[in-house]
Amino acid sequence: MACESEKWVLMVTAQTPTNIAVIKYWGKRDESLILPINDSISVTLDPEHLCTTTTVAVSPSFDQDRMWLNGKEISLSGGRYQRCLREIRSRASDVEDEKKGIKITKKDWENLHVHIASYNNFPTAAGLASSAAGFACLVFSLAKLMNVKEDQGKLSAIARQGSGSACRSLYGGFVKWIMGKHDDGSDSIAVQLADEKHWDDLVIVIAVVSSRQKETSSTSGMRESVETSMLIKHRAKEVVPKRIVDMEEAIKNRDFPSFAHLACADSNQFHAVCLDTCPPIFYMNDTIIGCVEKWNRSEESPQVAYTFDAGPNAVLIARNRKVAASLLQRLLFHFPPSSDADLSSYVIGDKSILQDVGVTDLKDIEALPPPPEIKDAQKYKGDVSYFICTKPGKGPVLLSDKNQALLSPETGLPK
Ligand code: DP6
């Protein structure tokens, strides 16, 4: 290694998407290795609208591992961070940067410390699976920095030990997390089923809900379900294995009616398991489900799928852009913004769908007609804090533009 007195800083910046499960992971068979009781399938969301950016740096001048999340220093002492760092470090290889005159050998990595800065381009408090994108990005960027020569599947098994759903954020498009059989978790990895171009008609609208009570974390919620629910056993053993096969087939054939039916049914069963938990866990609010169910039933085949994670935000998947415009029109009718909101922050992400709806200002929202399939359609003003319009997206990428780095190349501290 270059002499200790040298103050070089070597760094890598990467961007990793978040994902939404359409067949849910709920329940672990091993808490510390994070091994699930069933397979799960997810759609990766476009990182342009929802992603984590992480810069990792190494320098002989760093005296400990440190991390900053959205600009604030956080502790790395938790078991999940420690495990990811240890697993990546143990697989590090030689790194040479001739231009900077830096040579790090495999052995040196054991004694070198890293700085990590991570930033979510969406509010962490919105409850949008920030831990999935976060741990995936941590593992992906450290693997690049340390020249880890493992394939994406092996990296997914490391990200899994940060947060289960993180293993699915190592790929774009449609992803399956295979639960695996081994006790050491080596076969509990994520694989890509199809990339994002395979089914690029889909449009995703996320309703971020305003009043959020203190929710049970996924980790403790699923622990309580495994301990107390009978339904979860039936789900993992009998229901999910068949749904996984059917969902893979639906994705392969771009069969939207089957996709929607499976995604909605699986979200509903996951929440049924939550209700079957003692004491019961309530995550979602059913107003949006009612609207989508009525609309789907009034059409010849389902137009929109809904799915809810461990919180009240609704993720709605429309079969194409035209349907997405009708969906957004319905959503804006039912959930107009509170009086002090402005349109540009009420619908974010791919705002072009608003033009398809013909909405250019708040008055246009007030004038929207009620959905024809609903009698006495109600309004829930202010219940939604904002909508994000997005689509299936790509997997992790390295960012080579130095301006996008979150750490200073001179000091290795947040910019
Ligand atoms: C409802 O991955 O957040 O979003 O593994 O304990 O970190 P830990 O849990 P986490 O759980 C996600 C649960 C879910 C369903 C899913 O993403 O499959």
Coordinates of all heavy atoms in Angstrom, one line a residue, residues 157-193:
A157 N -27.0 -11.6 -2.3 CA -27.0 -12.4 -1.0 C -26.3 -11.6 0.1 O -26.7 -11.8 1.3 CB -26.3 -13.7 -1.2
I158 N -25.4 -10.7 -0.2 CA -24.9 -9.8 0.8 C -25.8 -8.7 1.1 O -26.1 -8.4 2.3 CB -23.5 -9.2 0.3 CG1 -22.5 -10.4 0.0 CG2 -22.9 -8.3 1.4 CD1 -21.2 -10.0 -0.5
A159 N -26.4 -8.1 0.1 CA -27.4 -7.0 0.3 C -28.6 -7.5 1.2 O -29.1 -6.8 2.0 CB -27.9 -6.4 -1.0
R160 N -28.9 -8.7 0.9 CA -30.0 -9.4 1.7 C -29.8 -9.3 3.2 O -30.7 -9.2 4.0 CB -30.1 -10.8 1.2 CG -31.3 -11.6 1.8 CD -31.0 -13.1 1.7 NE -30.1 -13.5 2.8 CZ -29.0 -14.3 2.6 NH1 -28.7 -14.9 1.5 NH2 -28.3 -14.6 3.7
Q161 N -28.5 -9.4 3.6 CA -28.2 -9.4 5.0 C -28.3 -8.0 5.6 O -28.2 -7.8 6.8 CB -26.8 -10.0 5.2 CG -26.8 -11.5 4.8 CD -25.4 -12.1 4.8 OE1 -24.8 -12.1 5.9 NE2 -25.0 -12.6 3.7
G162 N -28.5 -7.0 4.7 CA -28.7 -5.6 5.2 C -30.2 -5.4 5.4 O -30.7 -5.0 6.5
S163 N -31.0 -5.8 4.4 CA -32.5 -5.8 4.5 C -32.9 -6.8 3.4 O -32.4 -6.7 2.3 CB -33.0 -4.4 4.2 OG -34.4 -4.3 4.3
G164 N -33.9 -7.6 3.8 CA -34.3 -8.7 2.8 C -34.6 -8.1 1.4 O -34.1 -8.6 0.4
S165 N -35.5 -7.1 1.4 CA -36.0 -6.6 0.1 C -34.8 -6.0 -0.7 O -35.0 -5.8 -1.9 CB -37.1 -5.6 0.3 OG -36.7 -4.6 1.3
A166 N -33.7 -5.6 -0.1 CA -32.6 -5.0 -0.8 C -32.0 -5.9 -1.8 O -31.5 -5.4 -2.8 CB -31.5 -4.6 0.2
C167 N -32.1 -7.2 -1.6 CA -31.4 -8.1 -2.6 C -32.1 -8.0 -4.0 O -31.5 -8.2 -5.0 CB -31.4 -9.6 -2.1 SG -33.0 -10.4 -2.1
R168 N -33.4 -7.6 -4.0 CA -34.1 -7.5 -5.3 C -33.7 -6.2 -6.0 O -34.1 -6.0 -7.2 CB -35.6 -7.6 -5.1 CG -36.0 -8.9 -4.5 CD -37.6 -9.0 -4.4 NE -38.1 -7.8 -3.8 CZ -38.9 -7.8 -2.7 NH1 -39.2 -8.9 -2.1 NH2 -39.3 -6.7 -2.2
S169 N -33.1 -5.2 -5.3 CA -32.7 -3.9 -5.9 C -31.4 -4.0 -6.7 O -30.9 -3.0 -7.2 CB -32.7 -2.8 -4.9 OG -34.0 -2.3 -4.7
L170 N -30.8 -5.2 -6.8 CA -29.5 -5.3 -7.5 C -29.8 -5.5 -9.0 O -28.8 -5.6 -9.8 CB -28.8 -6.6 -7.0 CG -27.7 -6.4 -5.9 CD1 -26.5 -5.8 -6.4 CD2 -28.2 -5.6 -4.8
Y171 N -31.0 -5.5 -9.4 CA -31.4 -5.7 -10.9 C -32.5 -4.7 -11.3 O -33.3 -4.4 -10.4 CB -31.9 -7.1 -11.2 CG -31.0 -8.2 -10.7 CD1 -31.1 -8.7 -9.4 CD2 -30.1 -8.8 -11.6 CE1 -30.3 -9.8 -9.0 CE2 -29.3 -9.8 -11.2 CZ -29.4 -10.3 -9.9 OH -28.6 -11.4 -9.5
G172 N -32.5 -4.4 -12.6 CA -33.7 -3.7 -13.1 C -34.8 -4.6 -13.5 O -34.7 -5.9 -13.4
G173 N -35.9 -4.1 -13.9 CA -37.0 -4.8 -14.4 C -37.8 -5.6 -13.4 O -38.3 -5.1 -12.4
F174 N -37.8 -6.9 -13.7 CA -38.7 -7.9 -12.8 C -37.7 -8.9 -12.2 O -36.9 -9.5 -12.9 CB -39.7 -8.6 -13.8 CG -40.6 -7.6 -14.5 CD1 -40.2 -6.9 -15.6 CD2 -41.8 -7.2 -13.9 CE1 -41.0 -6.0 -16.2 CE2 -42.6 -6.3 -14.5 CZ -42.2 -5.7 -15.7
V175 N -37.9 -9.0 -10.9 CA -36.8 -9.7 -10.1 C -37.5 -10.7 -9.2 O -38.5 -10.5 -8.5 CB -36.0 -8.7 -9.3 CG1 -34.8 -9.4 -8.6 CG2 -35.4 -7.6 -10.2
K176 N -36.8 -11.9 -9.1 CA -37.3 -12.9 -8.1 C -36.2 -13.1 -7.0 O -35.1 -13.3 -7.3 CB -37.6 -14.2 -8.8 CG -37.9 -15.4 -7.9 CD -38.6 -16.5 -8.5 CE -37.7 -17.5 -9.2 NZ -38.2 -18.9 -9.3
W177 N -36.7 -13.1 -5.8 CA -35.8 -13.5 -4.7 C -36.1 -15.0 -4.4 O -37.2 -15.3 -3.9 CB -36.0 -12.6 -3.5 CG -35.3 -13.0 -2.2 CD1 -34.3 -13.9 -2.1 CD2 -35.5 -12.4 -0.9 NE1 -33.9 -14.0 -0.7 CE2 -34.6 -13.1 0.0 CE3 -36.4 -11.5 -0.4 CZ2 -34.6 -12.8 1.3 CZ3 -36.3 -11.1 0.9 CH2 -35.4 -11.8 1.8
I178 N -35.2 -15.8 -4.7 CA -35.3 -17.3 -4.4 C -35.0 -17.5 -2.9 O -33.9 -17.2 -2.5 CB -34.4 -18.1 -5.3 CG1 -34.6 -17.8 -6.8 CG2 -34.5 -19.6 -5.0 CD1 -33.5 -18.3 -7.7
M179 N -36.0 -18.1 -2.2 CA -35.8 -18.2 -0.7 C -34.5 -19.1 -0.4 O -33.8 -18.8 0.6 CB -37.0 -18.8 0.0 CG -37.4 -20.2 -0.5 SD -38.8 -20.8 0.4 CE -38.2 -21.3 2.0
G180 N -34.3 -20.1 -1.2 CA -33.1 -21.0 -0.9 C -33.4 -22.0 0.2 O -34.5 -21.9 0.8
K181 N -32.5 -23.0 0.2 CA -32.7 -24.1 1.2 C -31.6 -24.2 2.3 O -31.8 -24.6 3.4 CB -32.7 -25.4 0.5 CG -34.0 -25.7 -0.4 CD -34.0 -27.2 -0.7 CE -34.4 -27.6 -2.1 NZ -33.8 -27.0 -3.2
H182 N -30.4 -23.7 1.9 CA -29.3 -23.9 2.8 C -29.4 -23.1 4.0 O -29.9 -22.0 4.0 CB -28.0 -23.5 2.0 CG -27.7 -24.4 0.8 ND1 -28.1 -25.7 0.7 CD2 -27.1 -24.1 -0.4 CE1 -27.8 -26.1 -0.5 NE2 -27.2 -25.2 -1.2
D183 N -28.8 -23.6 5.1 CA -28.8 -22.9 6.4 C -27.9 -21.7 6.4 O -28.1 -20.8 7.1 CB -28.3 -23.9 7.5 CG -29.4 -24.9 7.9 OD1 -30.6 -24.7 7.5 OD2 -29.0 -25.9 8.5
D184 N -26.9 -21.8 5.5 CA -25.9 -20.6 5.5 C -26.4 -19.5 4.6 O -25.8 -18.5 4.5 CB -24.5 -21.1 5.1 CG -24.5 -21.5 3.7 OD1 -25.5 -21.6 3.0 OD2 -23.4 -21.9 3.2
G185 N -27.5 -19.7 3.9 CA -28.1 -18.6 3.1 C -27.5 -18.5 1.7 O -27.8 -17.6 1.0
S186 N -26.5 -19.3 1.4 CA -25.7 -19.1 0.1 C -26.6 -19.2 -1.1 O -26.3 -18.7 -2.1 CB -24.6 -20.1 0.1 OG -25.1 -21.4 0.2
D187 N -27.8 -19.9 -1.0 CA -28.6 -20.0 -2.2 C -29.9 -19.1 -2.0 O -30.8 -19.3 -2.8 CB -29.0 -21.5 -2.4 CG -29.7 -22.1 -1.2 OD1 -29.7 -21.5 -0.1 OD2 -30.3 -23.2 -1.3
S188 N -29.9 -18.2 -1.1 CA -31.0 -17.3 -1.0 C -30.6 -16.0 -1.7 O -30.0 -15.1 -1.1 CB -31.3 -17.0 0.5 OG -32.5 -16.2 0.6
I189 N -30.8 -16.0 -3.0 CA -30.3 -14.9 -3.8 C -31.4 -14.4 -4.7 O -32.4 -15.0 -4.9 CB -29.1 -15.4 -4.7 CG1 -29.6 -16.5 -5.7 CG2 -28.0 -15.9 -3.9 CD1 -28.7 -16.8 -6.8
A190 N -31.2 -13.2 -5.3 CA -32.1 -12.6 -6.3 C -31.6 -12.9 -7.7 O -30.4 -12.9 -7.9 CB -32.3 -11.1 -6.0
V191 N -32.6 -13.1 -8.6 CA -32.3 -13.3 -10.0 C -33.2 -12.4 -10.8 O -34.3 -12.1 -10.4 CB -32.4 -14.7 -10.5 CG1 -31.4 -15.7 -9.8 CG2 -33.9 -15.2 -10.3
Q192 N -32.7 -11.9 -12.0 CA -33.6 -11.1 -12.8 C -34.5 -12.0 -13.7 O -34.0 -13.0 -14.3 CB -32.7 -10.2 -13.8 CG -33.6 -9.2 -14.5 CD -32.7 -8.3 -15.4 OE1 -31.9 -8.8 -16.2 NE2 -33.0 -7.0 -15.3
L193 N -35.8 -11.7 -13.7 CA -36.7 -12.5 -14.6 C -36.8 -11.9 -16.0 O -36.8 -12.6 -17.0 CB -38.1 -12.5 -13.9 CG -38.2 -13.2 -12.6 CD1 -39.7 -13.0 -12.0 CD2 -37.9 -14.7 -12.7

